[in-house]
Amino acid sequence: MVFEELAVEVMADLPSDRARHEVLALVERVRAAPRAWPDVRDPGATEEIREAFSARCWIQYTPHAGAIEVREIGWAG
């Protein structure tokens, strides 16, 4: 799993260990089934971009063979 720079910054700024745990749990669920979440790429775009949600967080990611690249993390908690 690869985190882009912005995602790393968001992880560092999350308000608690519980928040980080929730984000990482979502990342693990996505990693186990990366194409189970909706593809949200713009029409005509070639790069696959998907979004996954949990109770208080979401991630935007790109699946790669056997891995995911986390592009963005959101926290609403």
Side-chain angles (χ1 to χ4, degrees):
M1 140 177 53
V2 175
F3 285 83
E4 288 203 359
E5 186 176 332
L6 179 60
V8 170
E9 289 175 19
V10 171
M11 285 293 288
D13 289 340
L14 288 172
S16 66
D17 286 340
R18 181 175 168 217
R20 283 182 282 285
H21 177 74
E22 184 173 333
V23 170
L24 291 175
L26 178 59
V27 168
E28 283 303 311
R29 286 196 310 273
V30 166
R31 192 185 59 73
R35 290 191 166 73
W37 303 89
D39 189 341
V40 298
R41 72 180 118 180
D42 292 329
T46 58
E47 186 175 37
E48 184 177 358
I49 299 173
R50 294 181 175 263
E51 288 181 342
F53 298 86
S54 71
R56 290 178 297 260
C57 67
W58 59 272
I59 63 170
Q60 187 177 79
Y61 66 96
T62 301
H64 297 286
I68 63 169
E69 175 184 353
V70 178
R71 302 168 62 92
E72 194 170 334
I73 297 169
W75 179 255

